[in-house]
Amino acid sequence: MAAAGVEPRHAVGWQRSLTLPLGTADRGILSSCPTDLISTAECPDVNRLRVLLANERQDRLADVAAVVAGLGHEVIVPQIEVSEVGPVTAREQPDVAFVGLGASSQHALELIEQIVHEAACPVVALLHEPDPGFVIEAARRGIFAYITDGDPQEWQNSIEIVLRRFAEFRDLEGAFKRRAITERAKGILMERYAVDEEGAFRMLRDHARRTQTVLVETAQSIVDGRLLTGEP
């Protein structure tokens, strides 16, 4: 039985595609992208991410750490124990977490639960081979995506796809938050000064220009009650 909002499926033909089931409650979609169209040299640069790795297999931790570091991202101290991964996640606040499926699927699921509980970041499951049952259970616990490894180069490309997609997702999420803050500030100004939406935006824009600040910072100051423009 599939998790709510998720229809798990596996990548068929590892050399050609990567399937990413987005399992958190506010996503619930599937996407697939061809790994043979992605290369480190051809893709534009993205922000350096802090990546948490967790797996009960030490050898797999080392392999993934090498790939992630090779892509230019920071690897947070790899974790094996369920009891340790929660506190480390809360302290380090990673940008993204990779959890590998080792000898025990229950161990991996518990790692996922702890990380999802402690961090506002996506968790990606790393599978050595296809495992539909595990993917369904992991999706219920909130994984952002999963990767089934194979050829080392294709595996590296797939990890890069996930990291880049999350960087894009994070940028998009930030844009939505900035827009929401601006809309709230406009609403406050409209009520306070009895102006329409266009007038409220003009007040925001003009104040930001005069003070040489970013518009969203001006909006945040109004939402927080730290700024009164003093003019309709």
Side-chain angles (χ1 to χ4, degrees):
M1 181 176 181
V6 178
E7 183 184 355
R9 61 180 179 181
H10 274 284
V12 179
W14 165 250
Q15 299 297 327
R16 297 187 58 80
S17 64
L18 166 71
T19 302
L20 307 176
L22 309 186
T24 51
D26 60 339
R27 300 185 185 101
I29 61 173
L30 289 171
S31 58
S32 180
C33 55
T35 59
D36 54 358
L37 296 181
I38 300 295
S39 70
T40 304
E42 294 173 353
C43 287
D45 290 336
V46 295
N47 293 332
R48 178 181 170 92
L49 298 174
R50 302 178 69 249
V51 183
L52 173 67
L53 304 179
N55 194 324
E56 64 178 318
R57 287 182 53 182
Q58 188 66 50
D59 59 328
R60 300 287 287 171
L61 278 175
D63 290 342
V64 178
V67 172
V68 172
L71 293 173
H73 301 288
E74 177 186 354
V75 178
I76 298 174
V77 181
Q79 294 296 311
I80 298 176
E81 299 299 329
V82 173
S83 61
E84 297 175 357
V85 74
V88 169
T89 302
R91 182 180 70 247
E92 298 292 341
Q93 289 298 302
D95 296 311
V96 61
F98 286 120
V99 176
L101 174 57
S104 168
S105 60
Q106 186 58 40
H107 186 278
L109 291 172
E110 290 176 0
L111 288 172
I112 291 170
E113 286 182 340
Q114 290 296 318
I115 296 171
V116 170
H117 178 71
E118 296 290 350
C121 76
V123 179
V124 179
L126 299 178
L127 283 67
H128 184 59
E129 59 185 17
D131 189 334
F134 174 79
V135 170
I136 291 174
E137 291 302 321
R140 287 172 177 161
R141 288 162 174 79
I143 63 168
F144 181 86
Y146 75 93
I147 296 172
T148 304
D149 67 348
D151 177 81
Q153 182 58 53
E154 294 297 330
W155 184 42
Q156 177 167 325
N157 289 343
S158 298
I159 290 178
E160 184 173 6
I161 290 171
V162 171
L163 290 176
R164 289 181 181 278
R165 281 193 169 182
F166 172 61
E168 293 169 358
F169 168 78
R170 186 174 59 178
D171 289 344
L172 182 61
E173 188 177 42
F176 285 143
K177 288 181 179 178
R178 291 190 294 272
R179 179 173 180 178
I181 291 170
T182 301
E183 291 299 317
R184 288 180 61 190
K186 284 163 49 179
I188 292 171
L189 293 176
M190 291 168 65
E191 181 178 355
R192 180 181 298 162
Y193 298 109
V195 296
D196 60 14
E197 184 175 359
E198 182 177 350
F201 179 77
R202 186 165 53 249
M203 292 174 66
L204 278 174
R205 181 196 59 199
D206 292 348
H207 188 279
R209 287 177 177 174
R210 287 197 306 272
T211 57
Q212 296 184 333
T213 58
V214 179
L215 188 141
V216 71
E217 293 178 356
T218 298
Q220 185 67 67
S221 296
I222 292 173
V223 170
D224 293 342
R226 294 183 284 111
L227 176 65
L228 298 176
T229 64
E231 59 183 67

